[in-house]
């Protein structure tokens, strides 16, 4: 039996506190097609625009502003990505729902943070509501839903 509860944002939580599935909005899916962002496309990001190149970094539950370091579809480097961080599970979960290009208006997107080798796994010295990570960077992967 799976137990879950709802967060204030309407995302169900898994028993370990990590977020459950979430659909991308039709608007985000349409926008990503226009921006030539395909599922599986990725680019490097700084997870927290306020902690660029820091080692280690601390992420907090809640909103996050990240910085795109490469191109993603037609989004250029230095585009800001806005989303949410969850730190309750064994590793950090970052989901971005909006991109703000340098010379444009904010647009809806769906992307997640991934990094090989367990780099998104929280360090043991992480306090509740936080995740201490050894690296400030990860990759943003385009998705068509959050799983």
């Amino acid at each position: 039996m799976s137990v879950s509860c709802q967060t204030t944002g309407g995302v169900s939580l898994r028993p370990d506190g990590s977020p459950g599935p979430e659909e991308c909005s039709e608007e985000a899916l349409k926008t990503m097609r226009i921006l030539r962002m395909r599922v599986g496309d990725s680019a490097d990001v700084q997870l927290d625009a306020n902690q660029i190149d820091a080692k280690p970094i601390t992420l907090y539950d809640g909103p996050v502003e990240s910085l795109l370091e490469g191109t993603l579809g037609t989004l250029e480097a230095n585009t800001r990505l806005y989303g949410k961080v969850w730190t309750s599970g064994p590793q950090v979960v970052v989901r971005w729902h909006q991109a703000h290009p340098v010379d444009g208006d904010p647009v809806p997107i769906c992307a997640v943070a991934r990094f090989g080798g367990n780099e998104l796994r929280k360090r043991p010295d992480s306090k509740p509501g936080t995740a201490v990570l050894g690296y400030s960077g990860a990759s943003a992967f385009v998705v068509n839903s959050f799983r």
Side-chain angles (χ1 to χ4, degrees):
M1 180 174 165
S2 174
V3 178
S4 66
C5 64
Q6 290 291 99
T7 66
T8 56
V11 176
S12 63
L13 296 179
R14 294 183 170 101
D16 69 0
S18 62
E22 178 185 4
E23 295 298 317
C24 292
S25 71
E26 285 300 319
E27 185 181 4
L29 295 172
K30 179 181 175 183
T31 299
M32 290 188 304
R33 283 191 297 273
I34 292 168
L35 295 175
R36 297 187 186 118
M37 294 170 62
R38 294 173 195 80
V39 171
D41 287 352
S42 66
D44 290 341
V45 296
Q46 288 290 313
L47 290 168
D48 184 343
N50 295 312
Q51 299 182 71
I52 292 174
D53 293 330
K55 291 182 186 179
I57 68 165
T58 302
L59 295 179
Y60 298 89
D61 280 326
V64 69
E65 177 184 3
S66 303
L67 183 67
L68 193 61
E69 292 187 309
T71 60
L72 187 59
T74 59
L75 296 175
E76 297 177 346
N78 295 321
T79 292
R80 301 293 173 150
L81 301 179
Y82 295 96
K84 186 170 180 181
V85 173
W86 286 266
T87 65
S88 297
Q91 66 181 25
V92 165
V93 175
V94 181
R95 294 179 176 175
W96 293 288
H97 296 92
Q98 186 180 73
H100 192 166
V102 176
D103 292 326
D105 295 324
V107 294
I109 64 164
C110 291
V112 296
R114 292 188 182 137
F115 205 60
N118 286 326
E119 281 84 353
L120 291 178
R121 187 165 296 279
K122 299 185 315 188
R123 288 185 8 178
D125 54 334
S126 300
K127 293 183 176 21
T130 70
V132 178
L133 303 175
Y135 302 93
S136 62
S139 293
F141 279 81
V142 175
V143 296
N144 58 8
S145 68
F146 299 103
R147 295 176 176 83

